[in-house]
Amino acid sequence: MEFHERLLMLRRKRGITQQEAADALGVSRPTYGGYESGKRRPQRRNMYQKIADFFGVSVDEFFEENEDARAKAQPASDGSAIIAQHLAGELAGLFAGGKLSDADKDAVMHSLERAYWLSHPDEKPQT
């Protein structure tokens, strides 16, 4: 179940409107509606935590199934695949319509490059 599907289910289970959920979370109703429709994602992990706290669930509940599916699809022969999966999970909300500074873009690219070379050490050019 994707983040937006789980969020919709939790709100309906609680029996509240999108506006009530948005007010409790400190976001606009259109922003919250975007979360539920899958058109937007929270840009910061602390918002995932705020949502989880509001609905009384663990923040990990929003990511567990996606990580399990990725792990099954690509078995790890060493720790590099796990590092890449963790990095992808941490960056999930970062690219959801947010703007990154040049320094942040460089940091993300460096992290992705490092994860790639950790998982493909035989291909790395000698420097």
Side-chain angles (χ1 to χ4, degrees):
M1 184 180 299
E2 295 290 325
F3 168 76
H4 69 278
E5 296 167 323
R6 199 172 297 251
L7 186 61
L8 175 62
M9 179 192 70
L10 289 168
R11 182 182 59 80
R12 286 184 175 167
K13 185 176 177 182
R14 192 156 181 187
I16 61 173
T17 66
Q18 283 188 345
Q19 186 64 57
E20 290 169 322
D23 290 345
L25 297 169
V27 298
S28 69
R29 207 261 345 126
T31 294
Y32 183 84
Y35 294 166
E36 279 193 6
S37 69
K39 293 179 182 176
R40 295 186 72 145
R41 289 186 65 105
Q43 295 181 20
R44 304 202 186 283
R45 183 148 178 98
N46 66 345
M47 178 52 79
Y48 286 101
Q49 187 63 57
K50 195 172 186 178
I51 293 168
D53 291 346
F54 178 71
F55 287 109
V57 297
S58 165
V59 73
D60 293 333
E61 187 174 317
F62 293 121
F63 303 105
E64 286 173 350
E65 289 188 21
N66 290 339
E67 289 176 1
D68 290 344
R70 282 193 300 266
K72 288 176 186 171
Q74 183 178 7
S77 59
D78 60 16
S80 58
I82 294 169
I83 293 169
Q85 289 172 4
H86 176 73
L87 178 62
E90 289 296 314
L91 294 174
L94 190 60
F95 294 106
K99 296 192 187 272
L100 295 175
S101 69
D102 288 340
D104 287 341
K105 288 177 187 175
D106 289 342
V108 168
M109 290 308 299
H110 176 74
S111 297
L112 291 172
E113 182 180 13
R114 182 171 178 265
Y116 178 84
W117 291 125
L118 283 171
S119 64
H120 298 87
D122 296 336
E123 299 174 21
K124 187 171 184 177
Q126 299 297 321
T127 54

